[in-house]
Amino acid sequence: MNDTPYPPDRTDDELARLDITALLRHGLTAESGTRRTALSGDGAVAAAVILDRLGTEPRSVAFLADTVRAGGLARAAELPEPLPRREAAVFVREWLRAGSELAGGVTVDDTAATWLHAVATIIELKQLTRARDRST
């Protein structure tokens, strides 16, 4: 058995160029399948790459996810500062607005919150990996 990890399908730069807004529009209301998988997989990693590059803390994204779950996408999209850093807030506000335009109610809100929690987890893993690599 080969213990070498497989190379990623896409680089961080390639992922960062994905249209996350479109992935949200098509994935949040999709049943299980390719659209939902694209959102939960490449879409979550792409969002994490972008936000991590902007210095976003995972706890900020997790807090936003909890806000979406509690109040919905529409309310979260109206927040004056959904994330602490302006550049990150601009990206996230666009994503929140895309989701809030969908007719899906609480189900879409919960799916978006779960997706944001995944984004936060990926950012945290990226940060932990960098810290570990610096210490070795």
Side-chain angles (χ1 to χ4, degrees), residues 19-90:
D19 187 347
I20 297 168
T21 303
L23 289 170
L24 287 163
R25 281 193 187 114
H26 298 288
L28 285 176
T29 57
E31 297 295 324
S32 294
T34 57
R35 289 180 180 183
R36 181 63 66 89
T37 300
L39 174 62
S40 299
D42 286 351
V45 176
V49 167
I50 291 167
L51 295 178
D52 182 53
R53 287 179 174 178
L54 294 172
T56 306
E57 290 296 326
R59 67 179 175 265
S60 298
V61 181
F63 183 81
L64 179 61
D66 292 341
T67 302
V68 168
R69 192 172 310 281
L73 281 162
R75 179 139 314 166
E78 294 172 357
L79 291 170
E81 192 172 88
L83 289 176
R85 294 178 182 249
R86 184 187 176 294
E87 298 84 3
V90 168

Side-chain angles (χ1 to χ4, degrees), residues 61-132:
V61 181
F63 183 81
L64 179 61
D66 292 341
T67 302
V68 168
R69 192 172 310 281
L73 281 162
R75 179 139 314 166
E78 294 172 357
L79 291 170
E81 192 172 88
L83 289 176
R85 294 178 182 249
R86 184 187 176 294
E87 298 84 3
V90 168
F91 278 104
V92 169
R93 188 173 294 108
E94 179 182 338
W95 303 339
L96 295 170
R97 285 184 181 144
S100 70
E101 294 168 357
L102 302 171
V106 174
T107 302
V108 168
D109 292 341
D110 285 346
T111 302
T114 299
W115 179 78
L116 284 165
H117 272 291
V119 172
T121 300
I122 295 165
I123 294 170
E124 184 173 21
L125 289 171
K126 290 178 81 54
Q127 291 177 352
L128 290 170
T129 300
R130 276 195 306 271
R132 184 195 69 210

